């Protein structure tokens, strides 16, 4: 659409589709908007459908509103709505109100269209949720359409061609459907004294094309791609690995292509649909960018690596006024599932290592559990670790904060907190390969975090004791931060003689570091078990 759009989720999690056909004249409007509000549960619609800040719209223009099913059936609901025109200090707008129950619209639907003045569909937007508000901001002028997407470049912003500093591009040049491209030349590819090539992008640039036969692709050359909302650092070795996908005699006819497409709000609604369900809300707190890196030749499909070794470094700007403890970087797969990407926050940016490409973005992730109220002592910790995908509920709605933690569960918490990966097997006969925790136990065992209660018995379903937790916790701490020089003083717990000799040092160190505290008056309770809420607090203390 040749428009920018902003979604505001109001409630619910049922997919909804609206088709809004606005037969509007070609007007030079300052900020026309469509605001539409549909509640599938009650089958009612309300809202302002057209807004003219410039006060120059024709109030006699007919507006038509449709609901469309996934099968493409359109139902004209114009006559079911009461449409009223209003004026205020901001201009002219139309409000809609009506009952849609007679339409029989019950199936899930996924987006909406709008029409230009020539009655040509100008775009498709997709959204999930039972109640949404859509704001459509029309550009200052509308010059028609180009085969179904107006003057848009297909991602919600006008195609303006664009230019790149250093003379690589021409002002006013028409862009292709994928967005403005910068075809790099040898003049652009001159490393600085540090062996770094830095490319500063215009806002309109979405594609970089690197000639495959350039000498600038070298192991000792680092590439830095700077956009307004992101910075990408690519090791030269990774680009060389892309060239290995070709025969050397193909290099002169090939390019390495980097695509960086910013998703518009309606597209973000699509890719986050799987997460925005029930009591979970994932809200953008920065740009969401779909990255791709591949080799392209004159013949054949693009060639891609399945993963990046070495990894790239991605920095993304964080919007101001976000909830810092719940705002992180995520990557979103083709099924719409989001994966937390660990990184470092500094000066309004989040920097992380990435080993593959897909849509990446900064989001605020909020999930509530019915049994963890705002007044609960571990409420903030549980929400934070849920956003970091370190802890999960026992169901989508419940966390069970007072339930005891098993050895398998705490092992999984440590593995997620340290981002350990499964690399080899384990010796435990009571950990079946099909168990949900099998990979976590194997990763923790190979990292030296866990041992069994016997040589071949891990006891995964047994409740973990506080002294076992101390030992595992200190091993994880040393792996993450290195060996620490501590006082080694004995703790002051009155029940310290009950602490097993093999756990005494770990308990002393964990208490000195503030990772663990006693229970009550100078009591550690080494053989007691820990609740899920307490284990979340312990993991939060482990993290920086």
């Amino acid at each position: 659409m040749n428009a920018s759009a902003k979604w505001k989720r109001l409630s619910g999690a049922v997919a909804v589709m609206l088709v809004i056909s606005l037969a509007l004249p070609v007007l030079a409007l300052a900020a026309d908007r469509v605001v539409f509000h549909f509640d599938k549960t009650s089958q009612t619609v309300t809202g302002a459908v057209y807004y003219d800040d410039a006060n120059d719209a024709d109030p006699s223009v007919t507006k038509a509103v449709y609901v469309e099913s996934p099968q493409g059936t359109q139902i004209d609901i114009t006559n079911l709505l009461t449409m009223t025109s209003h004026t205020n200090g901001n201009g002219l707008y139309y409000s809609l109100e009506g009952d849609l129950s007679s339409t029989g619209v019950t199936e899930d639907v996924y987006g909406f269209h709008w029409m230009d003045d020539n009655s040509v569909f100008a775009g498709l937007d997709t959204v999930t949720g039972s109640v949404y508000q859509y704001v459509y901001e029309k550009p200052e002028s509308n010059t028609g359409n180009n085969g179904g997407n107006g003057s848009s470049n297909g991602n919600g912003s006008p195609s303006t061609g664009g230019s790149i500093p250093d003379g690589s591009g021409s002002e006013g040049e028409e862009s292709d459907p994928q967005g403005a491209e910068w075809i790099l030349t040898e003049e652009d590819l001159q490393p600085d004294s540090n062996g770094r090539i830095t490319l500063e992008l215009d806002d309109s640039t979405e594609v970089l094309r690197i000639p495959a036969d350039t000498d600038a692709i070298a192991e000792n050359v680092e590439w830095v791609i700077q956009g307004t909302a992101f910075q990408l650092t690519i090791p030269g070795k990774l680009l060389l690995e892309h060239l290995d996908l070709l025969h050397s005699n193909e290099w002169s006819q090939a390019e390495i292509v980097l695509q960086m497409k910013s998703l518009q709000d309606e597209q973000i609604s699509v890719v986050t649909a799987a997460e925005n369900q029930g009591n979970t809300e994932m809200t953008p707190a920065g740009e969401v960018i779909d990255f791709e890196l591949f080799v392209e030749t004159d013949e054949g499909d693009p060639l891609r690596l399945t993963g990046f070794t070495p990894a790239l470094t991605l920095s993304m700007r964080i919007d101001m006024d976000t909830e810092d403890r719940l705002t992180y970087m995520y990557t979103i797969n083709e099924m719409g599932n989001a994966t937390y990407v660990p990184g470092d926050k500094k000066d309004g940016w989040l920097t992380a290592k990435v080993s593959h490409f897909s849509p990446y973005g900064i989001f605020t992730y909020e999930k509530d559990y019915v049994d963890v109220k705002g007044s609960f002592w571990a409420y903030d910790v549980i929400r934070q670790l849920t956003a970091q995908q370190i802890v999960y509920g026992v169901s989508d709605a419940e966390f069970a904060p007072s339930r005891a933690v098993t050895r398998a569960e705490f092992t999984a918490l440590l593995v997620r907190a340290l981002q350990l990966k499964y690399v080899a097997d384990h010796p435990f006969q009571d950990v079946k390969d099909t168990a949900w925790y099998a990979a976590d136990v194997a990763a923790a065992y190979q990292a030296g975090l866990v041992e069994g209660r016997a040589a071949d018995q891990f006891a995964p379903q047994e409740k973990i004791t506080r002294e076992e937790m101390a030992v595992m916790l200190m091993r994880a701490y040393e792996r993450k931060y290195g060996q620490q020089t501590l006082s080694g003083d004995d703790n002051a717990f009155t029940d310290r003689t009950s602490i097993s000799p093999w756990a005494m040092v770990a308990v002393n160190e964990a208490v000195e570091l503030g990772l663990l505290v006693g229970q009550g008056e100078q009591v550690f309770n080494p053989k007691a078990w820990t609740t899920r809420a307490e284990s979340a607090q312990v993991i939060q203390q482990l993290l920086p």
Side-chain angles (χ1 to χ4, degrees):
M1 293 177 62
N2 55 344
S4 61
K6 182 175 182 180
W7 285 103
K8 179 181 179 184
R9 182 170 183 172
L10 303 179
S11 68
V14 182
V16 173
M17 180 175 186
L18 297 179
V19 178
I20 303 179
S21 171
L22 304 180
L24 302 178
V26 180
L27 300 173
L29 303 182
D32 292 349
R33 301 187 300 200
V34 174
V35 183
F36 205 88
H37 183 170
F38 178 77
D39 185 338
K40 180 182 175 183
T41 304
S42 62
Q43 295 182 301
T44 60
V45 60
T46 59
V49 109
Y50 182 79
Y51 206 117
D52 174 23
D53 289 345
N55 291 302
D56 57 3
D58 182 355
S60 65
V61 173
T62 300
K63 279 77 181 172
V65 184
Y66 297 86
V67 171
E68 182 174 304
S69 74
Q71 292 75 28
T73 303
Q74 294 184 16
I75 303 173
D76 187 341
I77 62 172
T78 309
N79 294 332
L80 299 176
L81 306 176
T82 301
M83 187 178 301
T84 309
S85 63
H86 309 269
T87 56
N88 59 20
N90 294 320
L92 174 71
Y93 68 94
Y94 295 86
S95 64
L96 290 178
E97 187 171 352
D99 182 356
L100 305 185
S101 57
S102 63
T103 64
V105 176
T106 57
E107 64 264 82
D108 287 350
V109 286
Y110 305 99
F112 65 86
H113 295 277
W114 66 280
M115 285 186 178
D116 66 11
D117 59 301
N118 295 315
S119 298
V120 176
F121 277 129
L124 172 64
D125 290 323
T126 308
V127 65
T128 61
S130 61
V131 182
Y132 279 85
Q133 185 179 55
Y134 178 69
V135 179
Y136 159 61
E137 297 180 356
K138 190 176 180 181
E140 292 191 359
S141 62
N142 185 350
T143 57
N145 68 83
N146 59 356
N149 64 354
S151 59
S152 169
N153 62 9
N155 67 2
S157 57
S159 295
T160 57
S163 61
I164 299 295
D166 305 323
S168 61
S170 52
E171 191 69 36
E173 184 180 359
E174 199 70 27
S175 70
D176 65 26
Q178 292 183 328
E181 296 191 359
W182 186 2
I183 301 175
L184 299 173
T185 65
E186 289 299 330
E187 183 179 355
D188 304 314
L189 303 178
Q190 300 301 313
D192 62 19
S193 59
N194 296 314
R196 181 180 295 114
I197 294 173
T198 301
L199 303 171
E200 298 182 2
L201 308 184
D202 281 353
D203 289 342
S204 60
T205 305
E206 294 183 336
V207 180
L208 282 180
R209 292 188 173 274
I210 306 168
D213 58 355
T214 178
D215 292 337
I217 299 177
E219 187 166 351
N220 62 343
V221 176
E222 183 179 72
W223 295 62
V224 179
I225 316 300
Q226 294 182 345
T228 303
F230 77 94
Q231 177 173 298
L232 190 62
T233 303
I234 306 175
K237 183 178 179 181
L238 181 60
L239 297 180
L240 287 173
E241 290 182 0
H242 279 77
L243 293 186
D244 289 341
L245 298 172
L246 302 170
H247 296 292
S248 59
N249 59 5
E250 296 178 295
W251 290 2
S252 62
Q253 302 299 320
E255 295 173 315
I256 296 179
V257 181
L258 173 65
Q259 291 186 356
M260 310 143 289
K261 295 185 179 181
S262 293
L263 301 188
Q264 301 304 299
D265 294 339
E266 61 271 22
Q267 295 170 306
I268 296 171
S269 299
V270 177
V271 298
T272 59
E275 295 293 337
N276 280 320
Q277 300 287 332
N279 54 348
T280 303
E281 186 164 8
M282 191 172 176
T283 308
E287 292 283 336
V288 180
I289 302 174
D290 190 0
F291 292 97
E292 289 190 72
L293 184 63
F294 54 89
V295 177
E296 190 171 80
T297 63
D298 289 341
E299 299 179 359
D301 295 329
L303 304 174
R304 291 178 170 84
L305 294 174
T306 56
F308 300 153
T309 304
L312 298 85
T313 302
L314 174 62
S315 298
M316 302 192 77
R317 189 175 61 190
I318 305 171
D319 285 350
M320 297 178 64
D321 302 325
T322 61
E323 173 54 66
D324 183 67
R325 290 168 61 90
L326 301 177
T327 301
Y328 301 100
M329 185 186 295
Y330 296 85
T331 180
I332 303 170
N333 68 16
E334 57 195 16
M335 301 300 294
N337 301 120
T339 299
Y340 164 76
V341 181
D344 298 318
K345 295 178 184 178
K346 183 179 180 181
D347 299 331
W349 289 75
L350 199 155
T351 301
K353 296 289 187 180
V354 299
S355 58
H356 75 282
F357 267 162
S358 61
Y360 283 81
I362 304 296
F363 291 89
T364 298
Y365 191 100
E366 298 179 88
K367 183 178 181 68
D368 291 315
Y369 300 100
V370 296
D371 53 357
V372 180
K373 304 300 183 183
S375 57
F376 185 61
W377 66 269
Y379 173 78
D380 289 335
V381 168
I382 291 171
R383 277 165 56 88
Q384 178 183 348
L385 295 188
T386 297
Q388 294 174 302
Q389 297 180 342
I390 296 174
V391 304
Y392 295 90
V394 297
S395 69
D396 184 62
E398 296 180 321
F399 187 78
S402 299
R403 202 189 77 183
V405 174
T406 66
R407 286 170 51 83
E409 288 174 328
F410 191 71
T411 298
L413 294 183
L414 290 177
V415 168
R416 294 173 198 146
L418 271 59
Q419 297 289 314
L420 301 179
K421 303 299 181 184
Y422 169 80
V423 292
D425 212 342
H426 57 78
F428 306 121
Q429 295 182 4
D430 57 351
V431 177
K432 304 301 181 184
D433 291 342
T434 55
W436 67 265
Y437 46 80
D440 292 325
V441 171
Y445 177 78
Q446 291 299 321
L449 303 188
V450 301
E451 296 175 354
R453 287 187 171 174
D456 60 354
Q457 298 293 310
F458 186 72
Q461 301 299 342
E462 294 294 323
K463 297 174 184 177
I464 190 169
T465 66
R466 285 170 53 80
E467 63 181 8
E468 286 178 324
M469 181 178 291
V471 172
M472 294 169 61
L473 193 59
M474 285 311 303
R475 290 171 179 166
Y477 184 91
E478 290 176 4
R479 181 178 178 87
K480 186 172 181 64
Y481 301 107
Q483 186 72 38
Q484 301 296 306
T485 301
L486 302 173
S487 68
D489 293 341
D490 286 342
N491 62 76
F493 297 120
T494 58
D495 60 346
R496 61 180 177 272
T497 57
S498 300
I499 300 173
S500 299
W502 52 263
M504 182 65 76
V505 173
V507 170
N508 291 341
E509 291 177 341
V511 171
E512 183 175 343
L513 290 168
L515 302 179
L516 289 175
V517 296
Q519 292 185 332
E521 290 289 336
Q522 298 296 309
V523 174
F524 185 73
N525 282 339
K527 305 301 190 288
W529 48 265
T530 302
T531 67
R532 284 170 52 83
E534 289 170 336
S535 66
Q537 179 68 45
V538 167
I539 295 297
Q540 197 274 338
Q541 293 293 104
L542 175 66
L543 297 175

